[in-house]
Amino acid sequence: VADAVAQAGGDAEALRQVEAAASEGQTYEETYDVVVVGAGYGGLCSAVAAAENGASVVLIEKQSVAGGSSAMSGGGVKVAMKQDGENYIQEAYDYWMNEQLQCDPVEGYPKTEFVTAFLEQSEDNLAWLAQQGYEYSLTKAMGAELAFPMTGDTPGSGAEVVNLLAKSAEAHGVDVRMNTKGVEILMENGEATGVRAECGSDTYIFHGKSVIL
């Protein structure tokens, strides 16, 4: 291209300088209440919930589409339901932990306190998903109920749940940035204060009161 510019009588060196400057990219700084990294189930739900509570939220995703591994799942959600009896949480917990013991052990997983908290909050979480438009069918399995997404009378998929949550994020004013890879958690006095991210040749510094990975 530079040779063609020179042959046409143009300034090839000036073109090279412009190309070099473009390849170096720019650095931008932005501030939000909450910075969320990753647009899978966890990230999308966190972003929507924060926005519902009045926070300004940016959600960054390194891929060009949301979902990640969540989009490839069946979209099912495990739920411990009060309708299953007085000991419904303990029964679901015992089954879950027993199943893990039958699998190849992974050090530190699952954390018992996380399993208990998940089950205790699962029915409320399902109600929250329903508020976002999640239609589901309950099936008794694995020591608890499984809520599977439905599109009318047809079983849905994880990708459909991701699309639902992405639309909810947009409706709640979440600033979604695709093709934006988080490369560094910014720390100050032992606390996360933001994320350094890259989008093409540009660098973004997202400052936030909270950072969710």
Side-chain angles (χ1 to χ4, degrees):
V1 175
D3 289 342
V5 171
Q7 291 173 18
D11 189 341
E13 183 57 33
L15 174 63
R16 292 190 183 93
Q17 292 176 359
V18 170
E19 290 177 339
S23 66
E24 292 174 0
Q26 302 293 317
T27 297
Y28 303 92
E29 293 197 38
E30 302 177 22
T31 300
Y32 296 82
D33 293 324
V34 180
V35 181
V36 182
V37 180
Y41 281 172
L44 286 165
C45 288
S46 298
V48 172
E52 282 182 332
N53 284 278
S56 60
V57 185
V58 62
L59 170 62
I60 65 174
E61 167 58 47
K62 65 182 178 181
Q63 304 292 347
S64 59
V65 294
S69 59
S70 298
M72 295 183 285
S73 73
V77 179
K78 188 168 185 175
V79 190
M81 305 286 285
K82 295 182 179 68
Q83 67 188 34
D84 291 329
E86 183 178 351
N87 298 318
Y88 69 105
I89 289 180
Q90 187 61 49
E91 290 173 2
Y93 172 85
D94 291 342
Y95 187 93
W96 189 332
M97 298 304 291
N98 183 65
E99 284 292 293
Q100 292 301 319
L101 292 175
Q102 309 306 316
C103 302
D104 293 334
V106 177
E107 185 177 356
Y109 178 86
K111 293 185 181 296
T112 57
E113 63 271 24
F114 289 169
V115 173
T116 301
F118 174 87
L119 292 172
E120 288 176 344
Q121 299 172 28
S122 60
E123 195 163 3
D124 289 339
N125 290 340
L126 181 60
W128 181 86
L129 283 171
Q131 291 176 359
Q132 311 308 315
Y134 179 80
E135 299 180 2
Y136 60 90
S137 174
L138 286 175
T139 301
K140 183 72 173 180
M142 296 190 293
E145 303 286 347
L146 285 178
F148 284 102
M150 301 291 290
T151 302
D153 295 328
T154 305
S157 67
E160 291 181 8
V161 180
V162 167
N163 290 336
L164 172 74
L165 292 171
K167 290 179 181 178
S168 183
E170 180 180 359
H172 283 89
V174 175
D175 188 356
V176 180
R177 306 290 185 92
M178 309 307 294
N179 298 306
T180 304
K181 181 180 180 180
V183 295
E184 181 185 2
I185 305 299
L186 306 178
M187 304 293 294
E188 186 176 330
N189 299 323
E191 295 185 355
T193 59
V195 174
R196 181 171 68 85
E198 295 175 351
C199 180
S201 60
D202 293 331
T203 297
Y204 287 83
I205 306 297
F206 296 111
H207 300 284
K209 299 174 183 177
S210 298
V211 175
I212 300 175
L213 303 180

